[in-house]
């Protein structure tokens, strides 16, 4: 157990640091890096570390499906997430891998509160000193309006609601129009995070759980990369308020079955040199 080239975990008797029979040279040589080894330290329990790469296309996609255990992405809708996840799974199969061995994670942002109004006020407090004129002009365009929004704290007028028109291919535009018709003011529509680079939920723990469940059940993600407006409070809120809801719905585990990160994210163990480094795609 002397280096990363070990093919599997072996029991270590008391008083023995490593079994020489299992210590083998790495003999890894690439264009930029080469090493003979062995590395004079034991490997971690999970063997090779979990490799996380961003979703991409072309050569980036080819590299990700060959070597990554987790691929992260920023789809703006369930349809986009599902299509991207399926493309990754197909590319993985073409590269000779089991698609189940790669987890596709979608970014998602959250601000939680006891009520939706509470969550909005939390986000508004963070943006209290920002200039709203630029975002209002952008919101007007996303609503399909020809005039500026001059009453940020009042719901849109009947005439404005009649004129709004969502761009059918833009999930943020569709969401903004939905919020306008629901009676939210322009300031509150902005506070719903319609311009975040990924889908975000500003609302109750139940609304956050609804979002995660909908995406997961639709096959748009295997899991999520979570982001929060205020990490000092929102991580605790998520653990204490959202996780129990997900557990009640049977879509979040109650315990961890393993001890390593590979165990937790559900990717297979890997010991020794990744054969895809030397053999390439099948």
């Amino acid at each position: 157990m002397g280096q990363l080239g070990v093919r599997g975990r072996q029991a270590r008797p008391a008083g023995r640091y490593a079994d020489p029979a299992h210590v083998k040279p790495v003999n890894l040589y690439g264009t930029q890096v080469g090493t003979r080894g062995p590395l004079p330290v034991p490997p971690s329990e999970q063997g090779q570390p979990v490799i996380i790469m961003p979703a991409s296309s072309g050569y980036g996609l080819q590299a990700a499906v060959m070597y990554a255990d987790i691929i992260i992405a920023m789809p703006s809708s369930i349809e986009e997430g599902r299509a991207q996840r399926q493309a990754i799974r197909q590319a993985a199969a073409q590269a000779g891998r089991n698609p189940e061995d790669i987890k596709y994670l979608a970014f998602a942002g959250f601000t939680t509160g006891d009520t939706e109004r509470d969550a909005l006020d939390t986000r508004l407090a963070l943006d209290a000193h920002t200039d709203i004129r630029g975002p209002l002009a952008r919101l007007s365009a996303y609503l399909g309006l020809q005039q500026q929004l001059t009453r940020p704290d009042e719901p849109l007028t009947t005439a404005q609601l009649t004129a709004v028109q969502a761009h059918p291919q833009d999930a943020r535009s569709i969401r903004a129009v939905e919020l306008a018709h629901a009676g939210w003011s322009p300031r509150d529509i902005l506070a719903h995070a319609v311009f975040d680079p990924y889908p975000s939920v500003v609302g109750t723990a139940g609304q956050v759980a609804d979002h995660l469940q909908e995406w997961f059940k639709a096959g748009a993600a295997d899991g999520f990369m979570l982001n929060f407006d205020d990490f000092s409070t929102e991580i605790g809120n998520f653990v204490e308020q959202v996780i129990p809801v997900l557990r009640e719905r049977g879509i979040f585990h109650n315990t961890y079955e393993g001890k390593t990160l590979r165990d937790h994210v559900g990717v297979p163990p890997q010991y020794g040199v990744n054969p895809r480094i030397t053999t390439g795609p099948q």
Side-chain angles (χ1 to χ4, degrees), residues 105-110 198 208 211-212 223-228 231 235 238 242-243:
L105 305 188
F107 267 87
F110 305 105
Y198 40 77
V208 171
H211 172 84
L212 298 173
F224 299 91
M225 290 286 293
L226 306 183
N227 198 16
F228 306 98
F231 280 84
I235 292 179
F238 189 89
V242 180
I243 294 299

Side-chain angles (χ1 to χ4, degrees), residues 12 19 44 55 97 114-115 138 150 152 157 165 183 211 213 218 237 241 245-246 253 268 281:
R12 186 166 63 214
D19 183 347
S44 70
R97 294 186 67 185
D114 292 334
T115 66
R138 187 181 179 191
T150 58
T157 65
Q165 185 175 3
H211 172 84
Q213 182 175 8
N237 291 342
Q241 299 174 24
V245 176
L246 296 174
H253 53 78

Side-chain angles (χ1 to χ4, degrees), residues 170-191:
D170 194 317
R172 292 174 294 183
S173 177
I174 295 172
R175 176 62 173 157
V177 169
E178 290 175 349
L179 292 168
H181 280 294
W184 295 103
S185 71
R187 193 185 300 272
D188 284 339
I189 294 175
L190 293 173

Side-chain angles (χ1 to χ4, degrees), residues 247-265:
R247 283 176 171 163
E248 289 176 1
R249 299 180 184 183
I251 55 176
F252 194 87
H253 53 78
N254 291 312
T255 59
Y256 287 103
E257 297 181 359
K259 299 185 296 182
T260 69
L261 179 58
R262 282 186 172 273
D263 294 330
H264 298 339
V265 300

Side-chain angles (χ1 to χ4, degrees), residues 19-20 71 78-79 85 87 126 129 133 152 161 163 180 185 198 219 223 229 231 267:
D19 183 347
I71 296 178
I78 285 178
E79 292 75 20
R85 177 173 177 265
L126 296 173
H129 301 292
R133 289 175 294 181
L161 288 175
S185 71
Y198 40 77
D229 285 329
F231 280 84
V267 296

Side-chain angles (χ1 to χ4, degrees), residues 18 21 23 28 38 43-44 51 56 61 63 67 95-96 103 109-110 135 143 150-151 205-206 224 246 253 263:
V23 178
L28 173 64
S44 70
I51 298 177
S56 185
L61 174 62
Y67 306 120
K103 303 303 178 184
F110 305 105
L143 293 172
T150 58
R151 302 187 307 161
F224 299 91
L246 296 174
H253 53 78
D263 294 330

Side-chain angles (χ1 to χ4, degrees), residues 2 9 20 37 44 58 63 82 90 110 115 156 158 182 198 223 232 248 277:
R9 281 182 283 188
S44 70
R82 189 160 44 204
Q90 290 176 350
F110 305 105
T115 66
L156 272 63
T158 301
Y198 40 77
S232 65
E248 289 176 1
I277 294 177

